[in-house]
Amino acid sequence: MRLAFMGTPDFAVPALQALHAAGHEIVVAYTQPPRPAGRGKALRPSPVQVAAEALGIEVRTPLSLRRNVAEHEYFAALKLDAAVVAAYGLILPSVMLDTPTHGCLNIHASLLPRWRGAAPIQAAILAGDRESGVTIMQMDAGLDTGAMLVEGRVALTPRTTASSLHDDLAAMGARLIVETLRDIPLPRPQPEEGVTYAARLTREDGRLHWDKTVQELDRQVRAMTPWPGTFTRLAGQTIKIGAVMPEHVTSSAAPGTVVDDRLLVACGDGTTLRITRLQRPGRGMMEADAFLRGQDVPVGTRFDLPHA
């Protein structure tokens, strides 16, 4: 098929590469413009731009598409069979959605209609869902409201992180979009019940509230890995938390209190959570044993509550 590909982050790269390997004619890749990154704030192209250029695909990086008449005309002139969209990050106007023969097909990282929106991977883990997956959907003017074509499912375990689920769903999405384009099925409307929304994440979503339950804190750490990451305060410093493990030990200590010499911390429901990886300012992420060799955290130390 003659395709346009529209995506920006790492999640979209396997699909682009799979479509190219399957022999589709990808005439252009749309992605968000290069952004300042690193200490020097040099402009860094998106992962999709890097991958597309490596495959010899033309790349376009408009700032917006809503009223971009010149881009609408260019897109129409491509005479596309379909456009494939994966975490692009820009809203496509109706004039572009309706241009390709088979429309615009989105690779969405959830089992629609659950977790429409910007952060479905993290939302599924935060909510304690037992499964997640990918839905290939026909895009319309709504927010992830289009008809569904294909879906794939994956079980979530008590140790699934956003990072591991991201990689699993990126690979699944790549496989499913190739299968979908091989023989496009009839679309089916999304169910009207069970709709949920996953809002865009901010850094504040990573702040640990130790008065939550051990299950909520564990899911938060796993859902926010690697971004925005979770953090707390210790002796006036912001400490990043990389990994934790719930333990079947009860405690009457105040939430956030260290109750043994290996970073076992009391939670709001009278249970405990062991911090296994963490990072102090100016240092790399390290195992708890290594952290404790450089900083003493005696029993009774209290990690700050959010408003302490």
Side-chain angles (χ1 to χ4, degrees):
M1 284 191 176
R2 184 174 172 85
L3 305 176
F5 187 87
M6 313 178 88
T8 296
D10 289 322
F11 177 82
V13 171
L16 173 64
Q17 294 172 332
L19 290 168
H20 183 270
H24 292 284
E25 181 188 5
I26 305 173
V27 295
V28 65
Y30 279 84
T31 189
Q32 292 205 36
R35 307 292 190 193
R39 292 185 177 181
K41 300 299 181 182
L43 292 179
R44 180 179 297 173
S46 74
V48 163
Q49 180 171 347
V50 172
E53 289 176 347
L55 295 172
I57 299 169
E58 178 188 350
V59 174
R60 296 178 75 86
T61 59
L63 289 171
S64 175
L65 293 172
R66 284 186 174 180
R67 297 179 179 86
N68 193 335
V69 176
E71 204 62 55
H72 302 168
E73 293 174 348
Y74 171 86
F75 194 74
L78 294 174
K79 305 297 182 184
L80 299 169
D81 294 311
V84 173
V85 183
Y88 179 27
L90 292 184
I91 295 174
L92 274 62
S94 295
V95 67
M96 295 182 74
L97 291 174
D98 298 338
T99 292
T101 302
H102 296 287
C104 297
L105 309 184
N106 186 37
I107 304 171
H108 185 74
S110 82
L111 299 172
L112 291 169
R114 188 158 177 80
W115 303 129
R116 297 173 180 172
I121 290 174
Q122 294 85 352
I125 296 173
L126 275 174
D129 290 357
R130 294 186 177 183
E131 63 178 356
S132 182
V134 168
T135 304
I136 308 297
M137 55 168 284
Q138 187 89 48
M139 295 180 69
D140 61 16
L143 177 61
D144 301 326
T145 56
M148 302 182 295
L149 299 172
V150 174
E151 72 174 13
R153 295 172 178 262
V154 61
L156 302 186
T157 77
R159 304 316 319 147
T160 298
T161 67
S163 180
S164 65
L165 183 56
H166 167 283
D167 293 350
D168 289 345
L169 297 188
M172 177 182 288
R175 174 176 57 81
L176 290 180
I177 191 61
V178 171
E179 292 177 2
T180 301
L181 292 178
R182 189 178 299 134
D183 185 17
I184 298 178
L186 292 175
R188 50 193 174 90
Q190 293 186 33
E192 295 183 3
E193 66 279 358
V195 175
T196 54
Y197 290 90
R200 189 175 301 277
L201 296 175
T202 69
R203 184 179 182 275
E204 191 61 23
D205 290 310
R207 184 186 295 272
L208 293 176
H209 296 239
W210 292 103
D211 50 356
K212 290 184 177 180
T213 69
V214 67
Q215 291 87 1
E216 290 171 328
L217 289 163
D218 174 48
R219 292 199 299 258
Q220 183 181 2
V221 172
R222 291 186 289 111
M224 301 299 158
T225 300
W227 194 91
T230 48
F231 63 94
T232 187
R233 298 280 292 175
L234 175 65
Q237 293 184 321
T238 297
I239 303 295
K240 295 181 180 180
I241 306 299
V244 297
M245 182 65 69
E247 297 221 352
H248 300 291
V249 176
T250 59
S251 174
S252 60
T257 302
V258 176
V259 298
D260 76 359
D261 59 359
R262 295 188 297 115
L263 293 180
L264 188 66
V265 184
C267 304
D269 58 349
T271 56
T272 50
L273 189 72
R274 188 171 302 283
I275 300 173
T276 59
R277 285 178 58 79
L278 65 170
Q279 178 182 356
R280 65 169 62 92
R283 303 290 296 274
M285 189 67 68
M286 62 185 72
E287 301 298 319
D289 289 346
F291 182 93
L292 291 171
R293 285 196 292 270
Q295 180 165 339
D296 186 34
V297 185
V299 173
T301 299
R302 193 174 182 193
F303 288 100
D304 292 348
L305 290 172
H307 304 294

